[in-house]
Amino acid sequence: MTNKYPKATISFPPRDSDVWEHLQSIKAEHNVSDYIRSLIRQDMEGQGCMDEQKIINQVLQALQVNQQAESQSDVERTLVHDETKHTIDNLF
């Protein structure tokens, strides 16, 4: 009786030695197939990585928490927010 599950093969070029090392550490404690499938599911559900806009918004929120907004006028707060958002956006 043969295994009828679909299979995939992945390769690790020399520049990805850190990824290979990480996979080896995962392999010591977990099933690699389960691990890869869970990463793919996270990616499919949008949990695997954050989009640029979400990163920008989180950075802006962190900056706003650290700001002393009470001492600024509404115009100054808006200007800082727009300039900061533009600067962060240019990083991507």
Side-chain angles (χ1 to χ4, degrees):
M1 185 167 159
T2 61
N3 189 347
K4 301 274 183 180
Y5 295 117
K7 294 184 178 188
T9 302
I10 59 173
S11 301
F12 296 89
R15 70 177 178 274
D16 289 339
S17 61
D18 57 335
V19 176
W20 177 252
E21 294 292 325
H22 179 71
L23 184 61
Q24 293 307 306
S25 68
I26 295 296
K27 188 177 175 180
E29 298 180 23
H30 303 284
N31 178 296
V32 174
S33 294
D34 288 342
Y35 176 71
I36 299 297
R37 284 193 310 271
S38 72
L39 291 176
I40 293 169
R41 280 191 186 97
Q42 286 176 9
D43 187 48
M44 290 168 48
E45 295 168 358
Q47 299 171 6
C49 60
M50 296 171 54
D51 65 31
E52 291 176 8
Q53 191 60 44
K54 189 171 181 179
I55 294 170
I56 291 169
N57 288 337
Q58 287 186 343
V59 170
L60 285 173
Q61 286 175 351
L63 290 173
Q64 287 175 348
V65 166
N66 293 327
Q67 262 182 7
Q68 294 189 0
E70 299 85 28
S71 64
Q72 295 179 329
S73 71
D74 288 338
V75 173
E76 289 174 316
R77 282 195 299 270
T78 302
L79 182 60
V80 169
H81 182 273
D82 289 343
E83 287 177 356
T84 306
K85 184 174 183 175
H86 179 69
T87 302
I88 294 169
D89 195 31
N90 285 334
L91 294 173
F92 296 98

